[in-house]
Amino acid sequence: MKEGFRQSMNWVHTWSGLLVGWVLFMVFAAGTACYYRDEITFWMKPELHQARLGLPPEAEVVNHTVAALQQRAPTSQRWFISLPTVREPGVRASWSGAPVVKGAAEPPLEPGVTRRGRFYSAVLDPATGKLLAVTRETRGGEFFYRLHFDLHYMPAIWARWIIGFCAMFMLVAIITGIVTHRRIFADFFTFRPRKGQRSWLDAHNATAVLALPYHLMITYTGLVTLMLMYMPWGPQVTYQGDPQAFTAEVFPASGPRDPKPSGMATPLTPITPLITEAQQRWGKGSIGRITVNNPGDAVATITLSRKSEHTMSSAQPTLVFNGSSGKLLSEVGEDRGAVFTTRSVLYGLHQGRFADPLLRLLFFVSGLAGCGMVATGLLLWAVKERNKYTKVVAKGGRVGWASRLVDGLNVGAIAGLMIAIPAFFWANRLLPVGMSARGQAEIDLFFGVWGLAAIAGLAWPTRRMWMVQLGIAAFLFGAIPLLNAATTATHLGVSIPAGLWRVAGFDLTCLALGVALLMCVGWLARRKPARSAQRTGATHLTGEPAL
C-alpha cells in the first residue's frame, strides 16, 4: 500500500472493486432488469399478449379468486392474493401445499401453475377467477429478481451471505472512490477517446458520477434489506433468542409464522364487507394484497394490505380480520416508530415499487450506468496491469498469470452474461411448450450458455474473443423483435398501434441493447493496438492485443 491517505484509499478502492467485481456486474445487471420484471414475465407468456382482461370492482375480483382457491386448494394453510395493477392485469394467486418428500416424485403441475418449494402460484382472470390460458412454464422476470440476491444452484442462505459480502465491498469501493478523486465532478465532463488507460478511467468516472446517488442508495439499501440476517445480535439479546416474540412486536400484522389449525371446520366469512371497510380507510382501488391463514378453520384470519405504490415505505397499513366472524382484530397504520419507518423506507427505495413510469426508467438507466461503472473498473485494472508487462515481454518474458486470469474473467463475466441473458429469452420461445420442467430448462440453458462463454473467454482472453462474444450478444438481443414476430402475432407492427407497450417496450429495449453492443464491436474493430504494444509485442496468448 502506498503512502498518503488518498493513495491508500486508491489501493483500497482498486482491490475492493476488483475482487468481487465479476459478481457485482451480475448483481447490477439482474437487479436492473428487475425494475421491469412484470413486463419481462408478460413478454415470456405470449399466450397472454392478446388477452383482454377486464377490471371489475375489487370485491368481485376477490370473491372470484377466493372461490377459485376454495376449489383448487381447500386444504391449504395459507392463501395469498395479489390484486391486479396497471403493470400486472391478472390476479396472482398463491397457496401453500404439502412439503415435497425428498427423493419422492413430484406430482405433475397443471398448465399455468408454477411451484417454488411448497408454494404454488397461478395467474387468474380477474373477471372470472379462471386460470388464464398460460400453456408454457417459465420463471420470467422472477428469475432475475431471485438471481440478484439468491443466485442459483445453492442454498439461499449461502447466496445471501455471498451477495452481502460483495455488497459491503461495493460500498467500500464507492466511498473510497469518492475520496480518491478530488476532481470527481469535473472529471465527469472529461472524456479523452483513444487514450488507452486514460480513456478507460474517464469512462469509469463518467458512469460512476452519472448516477452516484443511485449507486450509494442501491448498495446501502441492499444491505439493509437483509440486515437482520447479517446483524442478528440485537434482536437475539433483546428478545432472549425468541424470534417469534420479536416478529410479533416489530411486525404485529404478520401474526404467527405458522399458525396451527384448530381442526374445527368453519365457513370463511364473506369478503365483501371487509373490502368495503378497507376502502373506507384507504379509498377505492387501494387494496394490494390479501392473506388468508387457515381458510375454512375456526382460527382463520384475513389480512388486507394497502398497495405499495402509494408511498416509498415497504410497510403498508394492514387490517386483520377474524376469518370466521369478520370481526376486525387489529389495525396497523403507517406510523410505527422512527426506526421501523426508516428501515421500511430504505427497503422500499431498494425495491422501487413506488416509482411511476418516468422514475422507473430513470432507475433503469442508472442501473445500466452501474453496470458500466463495474465493467469499466474491471477493464481499467486489466489495462493498467498489462502496461506493466510491456518491458517484460520485450525481453522475452510472458504476461503474468494474474493478468491473463483477470482478462479471461472479464470476457466471461461481462460479454458472457450479455450472451446468456438474451439466450434465456430465446429459450423461452424455442423450447417445446409442453416439455417437463420447462422453467428450469430455461434457467439451465442460461447458465449453460454463460458457462461456455466463460470457458472460451478464459481460454482465449483476446480482443478478437471480445468481438466474437459481443457480436453474438448483439445478434441475440437485436433479433428478439424478429423472434417475437416469428413466434407470436404481437410483433411491433401490431403491439405499437394496439398500445401494447409492455410487449413493444421489451422488443425496442432489446433492439437498443443489440445496437449498443454492435457499436462496441465496431469500436473494437476500428481500434488499433497501442504503440507501446506494437513496439514491444506485449500481446496475449494468441499474439493479439486485448482491449
Side-chain angles (χ1 to χ4, degrees):
M1 184 183 297
K2 297 181 179 180
E3 296 182 358
F5 179 69
R6 289 187 182 274
Q7 289 80 3
S8 299
M9 291 298 98
N10 183 59
W11 183 90
V12 174
H13 176 76
T14 298
W15 288 103
S16 60
L18 176 68
L19 295 177
V20 297
W22 303 287
V23 177
L24 289 174
F25 182 80
M26 180 275 295
V27 171
F28 258 100
T32 300
C34 292
Y35 288 121
Y36 293 101
R37 64 171 171 167
D38 289 339
E39 289 76 7
I40 292 173
T41 301
F42 184 78
W43 187 91
M44 296 180 72
K45 295 179 177 180
E47 294 81 7
L48 298 180
H49 289 184
Q50 293 183 311
R52 294 294 181 262
L53 302 180
L55 194 58
E58 285 177 315
E60 185 178 340
V61 173
V62 174
N63 286 329
H64 285 316
T65 307
V66 168
L69 287 170
Q70 287 174 331
Q71 181 181 4
R72 190 175 299 277
T75 60
S76 174
Q77 291 189 0
R78 187 170 292 179
W79 297 342
F80 302 96
I81 302 172
S82 296
L83 296 183
T85 64
V86 175
R87 298 176 62 204
E88 178 55 73
V91 180
R92 171 69 62 179
S94 305
W95 61 94
S96 62
V100 178
V101 180
K102 189 174 182 180
E106 296 183 358
L109 294 175
E110 182 181 355
V113 177
T114 59
R115 175 174 53 218
R116 182 176 178 81
R118 58 188 292 258
F119 287 92
Y120 299 78
S121 64
V123 179
L124 307 181
D125 188 330
T128 64
K130 294 181 179 179
L131 193 68
L132 289 175
V134 180
T135 58
R136 70 185 67 205
E137 180 189 350
T138 181
R139 291 283 300 280
E142 185 71 15
F143 165 66
F144 294 108
Y145 173 68
R146 291 290 171 181
L147 177 66
H148 95 285
F149 66 93
D150 274 355
L151 303 179
H152 205 72
Y153 301 123
M154 67 170 61
I157 189 69
W158 295 4
R160 294 179 185 189
W161 275 108
I162 292 172
I163 296 301
F165 179 83
C166 295
M168 182 57 71
F169 269 60
M170 178 69 180
L171 188 61
V172 170
I174 292 174
I175 294 173
T176 53
I178 295 172
V179 173
T180 299
H181 296 91
R182 67 179 66 186
R183 297 179 63 253
I184 186 169
F185 291 104
D187 287 344
F188 171 67
F189 299 98
T190 303
F191 182 73
R192 287 154 284 194
R194 296 184 295 277
K195 296 294 183 180
Q197 178 179 323
R198 186 72 244 185
S199 298
W200 286 113
L201 180 59
D202 289 343
H204 183 62
N205 289 338
T207 53
V209 180
L210 174 66
L212 180 59
Y214 172 85
H215 299 328
L216 281 168
M217 180 274 292
I218 206 69
T219 304
Y220 180 72
T221 57
L223 289 166
V224 169
T225 60
L226 296 173
M227 67 179 188
L228 295 178
M229 186 184 80
Y230 300 142
M231 302 181 68
W233 310 289
Q236 286 178 354
V237 172
T238 304
Y239 295 89
Q240 299 178 353
D242 186 357
Q244 291 190 351
F246 169 73
T247 301
E249 183 172 343
V250 180
F251 307 101
S254 62
R257 296 295 294 174
D258 293 302
K260 295 181 180 180
S262 66
M264 297 174 57
T266 305
L268 194 67
T269 187
I271 302 291
T272 301
L274 314 186
I275 299 292
T276 302
E277 188 166 348
Q279 289 175 340
Q280 292 174 351
R281 286 172 166 81
W282 306 330
K284 291 185 177 181
S286 59
I287 300 173
R289 184 179 176 90
I290 298 175
T291 303
V292 182
N293 290 321
N294 297 309
D297 192 89
V299 296
T301 60
I302 302 174
T303 303
L304 278 63
S305 302
R306 197 179 70 178
K307 284 182 179 177
S308 59
E309 59 191 34
H310 289 80
T311 63
M312 278 192 279
S313 176
S314 63
Q316 297 299 319
T318 59
L319 299 173
V320 182
F321 297 90
N322 184 295
S324 302
S325 65
K327 179 182 178 182
L328 180 63
L329 300 178
S330 65
E331 177 179 3
V332 179
E334 294 181 276
D335 186 8
R336 307 188 198 181
V339 174
F340 183 87
T341 301
T342 300
R343 186 259 183 187
S344 299
V345 169
L346 292 175
Y347 201 143
L349 274 172
H350 190 82
Q351 293 176 318
R353 293 177 181 171
F354 63 91
D356 59 25
L358 183 59
L359 183 56
R360 183 175 293 108
L361 177 61
L362 181 61
F363 279 172
F364 180 76
V365 172
S366 299
L368 293 179
C371 294
M373 173 186 66
V374 175
T376 53
L378 292 169
L379 293 169
L380 175 61
W381 187 93
V383 171
K384 290 172 63 177
E385 191 69 14
R386 190 182 312 117
N387 289 340
K388 298 177 183 178
Y389 285 96
T390 54
K391 294 182 179 180
V392 175
V393 174
K395 296 179 181 179
R398 298 189 62 186
V399 174
W401 67 269
S403 179
R404 294 196 300 272
L405 177 62
V406 169
D407 279 332
L409 289 173
N410 285 345
V411 176
I414 300 172
L417 183 61
M418 292 299 97
I419 296 175
I421 291 175
F424 179 67
F425 303 137
W426 280 73
N428 172 259
R429 296 301 177 86
L430 299 182
L431 290 176
V433 173
M435 75 176 292
S436 177
R438 190 180 187 280
Q440 184 58 45
E442 292 176 357
I443 296 172
D444 291 340
L445 192 141
F446 170 89
F447 285 106
V449 169
W450 193 6
L452 289 175
I455 292 172
L458 288 168
W460 300 284
T462 64
R463 183 175 59 172
R464 182 167 298 177
M465 178 55 67
W466 275 102
M467 293 173 62
V468 168
Q469 295 207 15
L470 291 178
I472 294 173
F475 169 77
L476 291 177
F477 266 120
I480 278 180
L482 299 178
L483 174 68
N484 186 45
T487 54
T488 71
T490 51
H491 53 77
L492 288 172
V494 172
S495 58
I496 293 178
L500 197 58
W501 290 110
R502 285 178 294 170
V503 178
F506 184 93
D507 284 348
L508 292 173
T509 300
C510 289
L511 180 61
L513 290 173
V515 171
L517 291 169
L518 190 61
M519 291 174 63
C520 293
V521 175
W523 176 80
L524 286 171
R526 293 190 303 271
R527 185 175 181 272
K528 296 181 180 180
R531 293 182 180 179
S532 59
Q534 292 177 328
R535 185 168 54 251
T536 62
T539 61
H540 278 271
L541 300 180
T542 61
E544 179 188 357
L547 287 174

